[in-house]
Amino acid sequence: MILHCVFLRLKTAMTIDDKQALFAAIVALKQVIPGIVEIKYGPNVSPEGLHGGFVDGFAVTFDSPEARDAYLIHPEHVAVGERIVSSTDGGLAGILVFDLNI
């Protein structure tokens, strides 16, 4: 299994409703892309203060590396990905992706 972690530096102009709509679009991917086991999202709650400005994020659990790879090129993911990039401070610089084998 793969844990696909995505940390975001969202634009400060985003409202709570904007964030909720963005994360709802991410969660909806589970219904259309095979191999997604679970999607969790929310703000960073670490008390360490080492977030580097990445204070929101989500994690997608995939049943296999192949499922993750298919997700990356899936048209629905590409569309949501473009929405994510346009919502971050600095575009791609506002996104950090970290995948783990679990």
Side-chain angles (χ1 to χ4, degrees):
M1 292 191 1
I2 296 288
L3 182 62
H4 176 70
C5 304
V6 181
F7 308 111
L8 305 170
R9 204 175 315 144
L10 295 172
K11 292 178 180 176
T12 56
M14 285 193 76
T15 66
I16 292 171
D17 289 342
D18 293 336
K19 286 183 185 183
Q20 187 60 37
L22 179 63
F23 288 120
I26 294 165
V27 169
L29 294 173
K30 186 175 188 294
Q31 304 306 315
V32 295
I33 302 177
I36 295 176
V37 176
E38 181 177 52
I39 300 175
K40 299 276 188 179
Y41 66 91
N44 180 346
V45 296
S46 173
E48 295 178 286
L50 301 174
H51 53 72
F54 294 91
V55 297
D56 292 285
F58 63 95
V60 182
T61 305
F62 293 96
D63 62 15
S64 68
E66 295 79 16
R68 184 262 330 265
D69 295 348
Y71 157 89
L72 292 175
I73 60 171
H74 193 283
E76 294 289 331
H77 168 260
V78 172
V80 172
E82 289 171 358
R83 186 171 170 189
I84 292 168
V85 170
S86 69
S87 298
T88 61
D89 186 19
L92 287 176
I95 302 170
L96 176 66
V97 176
F98 194 95
D99 288 0
L100 296 167
N101 284 312
I102 56 173

